[in-house]
């Protein structure tokens, strides 16, 4: 029998009370570590340890609208106002990847990992084996511009492992990042970096048979509020603000039915395609996401090489472009090339050339130009050998493996890749390798031509200054002529590295083109014009071909995702759905709790605004079993259930959070009647399984608010409950709860963060009147 001392024990206590520099608007605990990520009103991300030690602060420069952790806690996803989702490393906050999934602000994120490893009929675990290491050395990293500090380019330095950790997806379990925006679009991406599907709930119709009629429901002007993907990845529960319109279909004619409902609605999306095709999607995503990583290596390599070569050529032109004005000042109409050829031919040195070589350029200037070209040639060669070429080779290998998957699809009718499009991407990858080899040869020839030209000029300067040039190496006069005719005012290296505007192409002699066309008969590239394109253009075409191939998969998956069920929750007291979605912030939380082994039940908790129902004030609604199929008899709950909780007079709900083991954490404030009083806040823990849930009507009859059925059975919360603890002043959202350590973090109205230890006795129940 419990003693009085045991009955009055405090189940949780205040751990920290710390000031914050700016008001916090979003807070999320790391799922695996004692780390709290917070977003301030001025759009900064702060990462703190449990002891409130700050690890890092970053500012993306754009308004942050959503935040969530990757399931393993090693990366964090950040939704931005412009529709971008950026992934950051937990160790230092550095940017890992940025994708533009939406056209408008991302308002919610949910990242869920498949809890089961794939297995075959013999229960043998199916784990993708990355074979790249068998044929290639270690994967190349993104090159870093010399003189640029680590992370300034947005990616990691070679001493950091974040980029490699993100790239090496072969060891990761299958996981999907869901994101919703304020225009009703939900996007899905595997590993958070490979887009796999998209659906707009405003363009979705939900049919519901009614006696001799059929009802069709459609959401209009909806904005996503919360999303939660089930643990088995088969269902997605969506909370959204919008207008639900019901139509009746009679004799194949659509006529208006019972009008519309403007408010907060709950949708159930069928995402079972992720589970059914998990193995195939997993392997495709691993290959594709790694290819995207190496695309970034190639893109950065081209960009850095362009910059380095352009800087070197700027030094060259800065010196040699001064010769043309000198020639004009001396009344000559010849070009610099003609003057140099005359000097090379043994004619008398013209005054402008003499002045240029002896005074304007000189030995010091020539050495500077020579060093700039030589260093640029070495740097470019290094980047090609250590970054560009290895990345292009691995891309070709991985696309080749995807080609095998595409053939598997054609034979077994999977949802994977179109064989013809992958064949096109495979050919483009081969062309890119040819262009890389071409760049290596062109770079070597051009740098050698420059060196030979500068050597000849050095001898000329020595002779003009009556100095001995015997110690200088010999030069090739024929190559000097070639340089002056074809390289002096042209730049074939830049031509290969940059995407030129318009229909710029490289001239190729007719004999070479004829041989290329003949090679098609022996299995050569079907596109015979690749030699007329630059390396940068070839890479651009490869990227386009790659995206086109995966667009088929993206479209196929998107068509397989559909709305399975819906339930209107409560009306929103606003003039229009669009204004409601931007002006009302409803405390709400969605989670999935495990009922039995590998069986999870969904719970949804939300505060109902006082103006929604005239006879239902200060209420909290909780639903469960929304995703359950009525035909399923093995589940503990075979239909959707709900319960209404009435918050006592004098209190209002600030925020809610579904906690582990079917527990619910409520953040309450006392109602303040005196203007100079700040009131007090309270934390309450309820066990959801102890609540008297009541079955609610099927959403097939969604011409009314289902929760109105529960107003007669609503129950009162008891503030004398032992799981309630007071806070000496009022608090504001957000409430962040950690399931790993039983830690909550709430924010006081005066910019103070309160960190609580929630549980010391998990057996403590909750008392409800």
């Amino acid at each position: 029998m419990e003693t009085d001392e045991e009955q009055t024990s405090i189940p949780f206590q205040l751990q920290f009370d710390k000031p914050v520099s700016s008001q916090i608007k979003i807070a999320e605990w790391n799922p695996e570590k004692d780390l709290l990520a917070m977003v301030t009103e001025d759009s900064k991300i702060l990462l703190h340890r449990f002891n409130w030690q700050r690890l890092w602060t970053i500012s993306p420069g754009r308004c942050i609208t959503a935040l969530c952790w990757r399931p393993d806690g090693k990366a964090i996803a950040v939704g931005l106002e412009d529709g971008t989702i950026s992934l950051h490393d937990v160790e230092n906050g550095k940017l890992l990847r940025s994708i533009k999934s939406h056209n408008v602000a991302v308002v919610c994120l949910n990242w869920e990992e498949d809890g089961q490893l794939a297995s075959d009929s013999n229960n043998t675990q199916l784990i993708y084996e990355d074979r790249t290491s068998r044929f290639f050395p270690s994967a190349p990293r993104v090159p870093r511009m010399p003189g640029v500090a680590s992370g300034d380019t947005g990616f990691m330095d070679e001493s950091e492992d974040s980029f490699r950790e993100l790239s090496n997806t072969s060891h990761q379990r299958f996981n999907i990042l869901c994101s919703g925006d304020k225009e009703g679009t939900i996007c899905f991406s595997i590993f958070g970096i490979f887009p796999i599907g998209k659906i707009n709930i405003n363009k979705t119709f939900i049919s519901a048979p009614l006696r001799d009629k059929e009802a069709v429901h459609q959401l209009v002007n909806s904005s996503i509020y919360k999303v939660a993907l089930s643990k088995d990845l088969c269902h997605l529960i969506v909370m959204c603000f919008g207008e639900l319109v019901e139509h009746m279909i009679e004799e194949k004619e659509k006529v208006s039915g019972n009008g519309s409902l403007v408010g907060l609605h709950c949708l159930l999306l069928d995402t079972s395609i992720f589970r059914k095709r998990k193995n195939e999607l997993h392997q495709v995503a691993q290959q594709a996401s790694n290819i995207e990583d190496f695309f970034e290596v190639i893109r950065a390599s081209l960009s850095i090489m362009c910059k380095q070569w352009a800087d070197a050529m700027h030094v060259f032109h800065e010196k040699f472009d001064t010769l043309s004005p000198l020639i004009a000042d001396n009344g000559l109409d010849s070009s610099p090339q003609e003057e140099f050829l005359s000097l090379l031919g043994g004619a008398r040195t013209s005054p402008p050339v003499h002045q240029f070589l002896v005074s304007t350029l000189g030995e010091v200037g020539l050495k500077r130009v020579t060093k700039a070209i030589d260093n640029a040639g070495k740097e470019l060669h290094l980047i090609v050998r250590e970054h560009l070429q290895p990345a292009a080779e691995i891309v070709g290998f991985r696309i080749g493996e995807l080609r095998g998957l595409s053939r598997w699809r054609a034979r077994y009718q999977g949802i994977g890749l179109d064989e013809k499009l992958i064949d096109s991407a495979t050919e483009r990858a081969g062309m890119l390798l040819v262009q890389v080899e071409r760049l290596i040869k062109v770079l070597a020839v051009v740098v050698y031509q420059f060196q030979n030209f500068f050597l000849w000029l050095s001898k000329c300067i020595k002779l003009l200054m009556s100095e001995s040039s015997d110690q200088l190496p010999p030069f090739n006069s024929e190559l000097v002529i070639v340089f002056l005719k074809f390289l002096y005012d042209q730049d074939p290296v830049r031509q290969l590295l940059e995407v030129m505007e318009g229909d710029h192409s490289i001239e190729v002699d007719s004999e070479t083109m004829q041989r290329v066309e003949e090679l098609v008969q022996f299995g050569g590239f079907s596109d015979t014009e690749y030699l007329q394109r630059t390396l940068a253009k070839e890479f651009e075409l490869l990227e386009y071909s790659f995206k086109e191939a995966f667009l088929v998969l993206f479209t196929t998956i998107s068509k397989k995702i559909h709305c399975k069920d819906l339930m209107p929750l409560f009306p929103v007291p606003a003039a229009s759905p669009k204004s409601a979605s931007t002006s009302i912030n409803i405390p709400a939380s969605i989670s999935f709790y495990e009922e039995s082994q590998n069986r999870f039940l969904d719970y949804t908790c939300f505060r109902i605004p006082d103006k929604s129902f005239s006879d239902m004030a200060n209420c909290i609604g909780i639903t469960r079993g929304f995703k359950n199929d009525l035909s399923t008899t093995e589940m503990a709950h075979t239909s959707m259930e709900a319960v209404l909780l009435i918050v006592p007079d004098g209190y209002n709900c600030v925020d809610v959070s579904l906690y582990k083991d079917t527990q619910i954490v409520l953040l309450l404030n006392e109602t303040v009647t005196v203007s100079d009083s700040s009131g007090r806040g309270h934390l309450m823990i309820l066990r959801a399984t102890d609540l008297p849930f009541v079955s609610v009507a099927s959403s097939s009859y969604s011409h009314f608010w289902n929760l109105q059925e529960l107003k007669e059975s609503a129950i009162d919360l008891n503030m004398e409950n032992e799981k309630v603890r007071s806070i000496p002043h009022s608090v504001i959202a957000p409430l962040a709860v950690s399931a790993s350590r039983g830690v909550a973090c709430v924010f006081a109205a005066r910019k103070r963060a309160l960190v609580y230890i929630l549980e010391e006795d998990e057996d403590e129940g909750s008392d409800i009147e």
Side-chain angles (χ1 to χ4, degrees):
M1 187 171 183
E2 294 182 347
T3 64
D4 293 340
E5 182 178 355
E6 290 173 338
Q7 294 177 357
T8 58
S9 62
I10 299 176
F12 59 90
Q13 60 186 7
L14 178 65
Q15 184 74 13
F16 294 106
D17 181 356
K18 298 291 183 180
V20 289
S21 58
S22 180
Q23 189 58 55
I24 305 298
K25 65 178 183 179
I26 305 174
E28 295 286 345
W29 286 99
N30 187 299
E32 297 292 333
K33 304 176 183 178
D34 292 326
L35 300 174
L36 177 67
M38 297 170 289
V39 176
T40 61
E41 290 288 353
D42 55 354
S43 286
K44 292 181 180 178
I45 305 176
L46 316 177
L47 189 71
H48 282 262
R49 293 188 187 276
F50 173 67
N51 61 6
W52 211 249
Q53 173 193 3
R54 183 177 298 185
L55 297 183
W56 46 259
T57 301
I58 60 174
S59 179
R62 288 163 288 177
C63 180
I64 301 173
T65 52
L67 189 77
C68 81
W69 288 96
R70 196 169 74 180
D72 62 5
K74 295 182 179 179
I76 190 168
V78 180
L80 302 176
E81 191 175 34
D82 64 352
T84 300
I85 299 175
S86 59
L87 306 184
H88 295 265
D89 179 33
V90 66
E91 296 296 332
N92 45 32
K94 298 297 184 180
L95 179 67
L96 298 174
R97 181 68 63 84
S98 181
I99 58 175
K100 189 74 160 56
S101 299
H102 300 264
N103 297 322
V104 294
V106 178
V107 294
C108 59
L109 294 165
N110 176 240
W111 208 334
E112 194 59 57
E113 181 178 76
D114 179 34
Q116 294 181 335
L117 292 175
S119 59
D120 58 17
S121 58
N122 297 322
N123 291 326
T124 302
Q125 289 184 350
L126 300 177
I127 301 176
Y128 169 69
E129 179 187 2
D130 185 1
R131 301 190 301 161
T132 311
S133 58
R134 297 185 187 180
F135 309 102
F136 301 95
S138 58
R141 294 176 177 270
V142 173
R144 187 161 56 90
M145 180 73 75
V148 177
S150 171
D152 288 353
T153 61
F155 283 84
M156 302 297 99
D157 183 26
E158 290 188 352
S159 62
E160 299 169 311
D161 293 327
S162 300
F163 178 73
R164 183 180 297 275
E165 191 276 332
L166 183 70
S167 304
N168 186 18
T169 55
S170 60
H171 70 281
Q172 293 182 10
R173 288 190 176 185
F174 188 58
N175 61 69
I176 294 179
L177 174 65
C178 305
S179 56
D181 65 32
K182 64 179 183 180
E183 290 188 350
T185 298
I186 303 173
C187 295
F188 303 88
S189 59
I190 301 176
F191 307 133
I193 56 180
F194 178 61
I196 195 60
K198 176 187 290 188
I199 186 173
N200 190 306
I201 61 174
N202 292 313
K203 298 179 181 179
T204 301
F205 294 88
I206 309 100
S207 298
L210 298 175
R211 296 183 181 177
D212 57 342
K213 304 175 184 178
E214 185 177 2
V216 177
H217 305 106
Q218 180 186 10
L219 284 164
V220 181
N221 298 324
S222 292
S223 173
I224 307 298
Y225 188 56
K226 297 279 186 181
V227 294
L229 190 63
S230 62
K231 303 293 184 181
D232 59 3
L233 310 181
C234 290
H235 298 91
L236 180 74
I237 294 180
V238 181
M239 272 189 181
C240 60
F241 287 109
E243 179 181 5
L244 179 61
V245 181
E246 183 179 76
H247 304 284
M248 293 295 182
I249 299 178
E250 297 178 349
E251 298 179 356
K252 300 183 179 179
E253 293 181 0
K254 180 184 291 186
V255 295
S256 180
N258 295 314
S260 63
L261 301 175
V262 178
L264 186 70
H265 308 278
C266 212
L267 297 181
L268 179 63
L269 297 185
D270 183 355
T271 59
S272 58
I273 188 66
F274 296 139
R275 164 64 60 178
K276 294 175 181 177
R277 298 295 184 179
K278 181 181 70 172
N279 293 346
E280 184 179 354
L281 291 175
H282 196 181
Q283 188 169 357
V284 170
Q286 286 170 332
Q287 294 285 14
S289 57
N290 275 275
I291 290 172
E292 288 282 2
D293 292 334
F294 294 119
F295 278 172
E296 187 60 40
V297 174
I298 296 172
R299 188 180 299 109
S301 298
L302 293 176
S303 176
I304 292 175
M305 288 193 295
C306 275
K307 177 67 169 58
Q308 289 184 310
W309 186 254
D311 290 346
M313 294 306 296
H314 175 75
V315 175
F316 171 76
H317 289 293
E318 185 181 34
K319 291 295 183 181
F320 282 81
D321 286 353
T322 59
L323 179 55
S324 295
L326 291 177
I327 294 174
D329 292 343
N330 281 272
L332 302 176
D333 59 356
S334 57
S335 65
Q337 294 96 315
E338 292 172 339
E339 290 295 327
F340 281 132
L341 288 172
S342 177
L343 177 62
L344 180 64
R348 194 175 73 172
T349 307
S350 64
V353 172
H354 187 283
Q355 181 182 352
F356 172 75
L357 292 177
V358 175
S359 303
T360 306
L361 181 63
E363 287 187 286
V364 175
L366 182 60
K367 288 181 179 180
R368 181 191 171 198
V369 177
T370 302
K371 183 178 180 181
I373 298 295
D374 287 348
N375 288 344
K378 292 177 182 178
E379 289 292 337
L380 264 64
H381 184 81
L382 184 66
I383 291 176
V384 171
R385 289 300 186 188
E386 294 190 358
H387 302 277
L388 178 60
Q389 190 174 38
E393 290 173 349
I394 295 177
V395 164
F397 176 80
R398 289 192 177 278
I399 292 182
E401 290 200 326
L402 286 174
R403 187 168 181 264
L405 280 178
S406 67
R407 289 190 170 186
W408 177 85
R409 172 191 182 273
R411 182 175 179 182
Y412 296 104
Q413 297 299 313
I415 59 166
L417 307 168
D418 185 85
E419 186 175 359
K420 291 183 179 179
L421 293 176
I422 287 295
D423 284 346
S424 176
T426 304
E427 182 170 293
R428 294 290 180 200
M431 292 177 182
L432 182 67
L433 284 170
V434 172
Q435 296 285 19
V436 171
E437 291 293 338
R438 182 190 204 179
L439 173 64
I440 294 174
K441 294 179 180 178
V442 170
L443 177 62
V445 170
V446 170
V447 171
Y448 182 75
Q449 288 276 17
F450 268 106
Q451 292 173 341
N452 185 73
F453 175 66
F454 293 151
L455 183 59
W456 171 67
L457 287 183
S458 181
K459 283 193 176 258
C460 291
I461 293 174
K462 291 285 187 181
L463 292 174
L464 292 174
M465 298 180 66
S466 301
E467 296 180 1
S468 175
S469 61
D470 296 339
Q471 295 182 350
L472 295 176
F475 65 89
N476 188 321
S477 58
E478 293 181 359
L479 292 181
V480 173
I481 296 173
V482 172
F483 177 86
L484 292 171
K485 287 185 175 181
F486 302 105
L487 297 177
Y488 184 84
D489 57 356
Q490 298 182 33
D491 193 347
V493 175
R494 175 177 173 270
Q495 186 182 53
L496 286 174
L497 293 174
E498 292 185 355
V499 177
M500 304 297 181
E501 296 181 359
D503 297 328
H504 178 81
S505 60
I506 300 174
E507 293 185 6
V508 181
D509 62 272
S510 58
E511 183 180 353
T512 301
M513 288 301 299
Q514 183 179 355
R515 291 181 178 177
V516 171
E517 293 173 359
E518 291 174 352
L519 287 175
V520 176
Q521 306 299 325
F522 299 95
F525 299 139
S526 59
D527 183 355
T528 59
E529 298 180 354
Y530 63 93
L531 291 179
Q532 296 175 299
R533 294 191 291 267
T534 67
L535 170 61
K537 183 64 176 179
E538 201 65 65
F539 175 60
E540 186 181 77
L541 292 175
L542 172 59
E543 278 194 297
Y544 175 79
S545 179
F546 181 78
K547 291 178 180 178
E548 186 181 30
F550 284 101
L551 184 60
V552 176
L553 176 62
F554 180 89
T555 304
T556 303
I557 294 294
S558 299
K559 291 180 179 178
K560 298 287 186 179
I561 301 171
H562 61 274
C563 189
K564 188 177 180 181
D565 204 353
L566 65 89
M567 179 183 65
L569 296 179
F570 54 79
V572 174
S576 67
K578 186 168 291 187
S579 62
S581 64
T582 56
S583 61
I584 295 182
N585 185 18
I586 305 296
S589 182
I590 309 174
S591 186
F592 290 84
Y593 293 131
E594 186 173 5
E595 278 197 312
S596 58
Q597 188 174 7
N598 298 325
R599 292 188 179 277
F600 292 87
L601 185 66
D602 59 276
Y603 279 79
T604 303
C605 184
F606 47 89
R607 180 176 65 82
I608 303 175
D610 292 341
K611 295 181 180 180
S612 294
F613 302 110
S614 59
D615 55 349
M616 292 170 55
N618 212 8
C619 287
I620 296 173
I622 304 173
T623 68
R624 71 181 181 188
F626 187 34
K627 76 175 184 64
N628 288 349
D629 190 338
L630 294 178
S631 63
T632 302
T633 58
E634 297 180 2
M635 300 293 293
H637 310 280
T638 58
S639 62
M640 197 188 71
E641 300 176 314
V643 64
L644 283 183
L645 305 179
I646 300 177
V647 179
D649 292 338
Y651 299 90
N652 66 289
C653 179
V654 177
D655 207 351
V656 299
S657 179
L658 290 167
Y659 187 43
K660 67 179 182 178
D661 298 330
T662 66
Q663 294 187 90
I664 304 171
V665 181
L666 303 180
L667 182 61
L668 307 175
N669 267 342
E670 293 182 2
T671 303
V672 178
T673 55
V674 182
S675 59
D676 58 351
S677 173
S678 62
R680 292 192 305 171
H682 300 269
L683 275 174
M684 174 184 285
I685 299 180
L686 306 174
R687 190 176 294 278
T689 52
D690 296 338
L691 301 177
F693 282 89
V694 177
S695 296
V696 295
S698 169
S699 60
S700 299
Y701 305 89
S702 56
H703 55 279
F704 64 94
W705 304 102
N706 302 54
L707 294 179
Q708 284 181 311
E709 300 176 347
L710 306 176
K711 61 183 179 181
E712 299 298 332
S713 59
I715 59 176
D716 296 321
L717 291 176
N718 181 9
M719 293 303 295
E720 302 301 322
N721 186 287
E722 291 185 355
K723 284 283 188 177
V724 177
R725 286 296 175 269
S726 63
I727 300 170
H729 38 66
S730 62
V731 291
I732 62 175
L735 164 67
V737 184
S738 167
S740 61
R741 280 283 298 271
V743 177
C745 182
V746 299
F747 295 90
R750 294 188 296 273
K751 294 183 181 180
R752 299 192 68 83
L754 309 174
V755 180
Y756 283 86
I757 302 295
L758 285 185
E759 293 182 284
E760 288 183 357
D761 184 1
E762 294 186 353
D763 294 331
E764 289 287 342
S766 59
D767 296 331
I768 297 174
E769 292 183 348

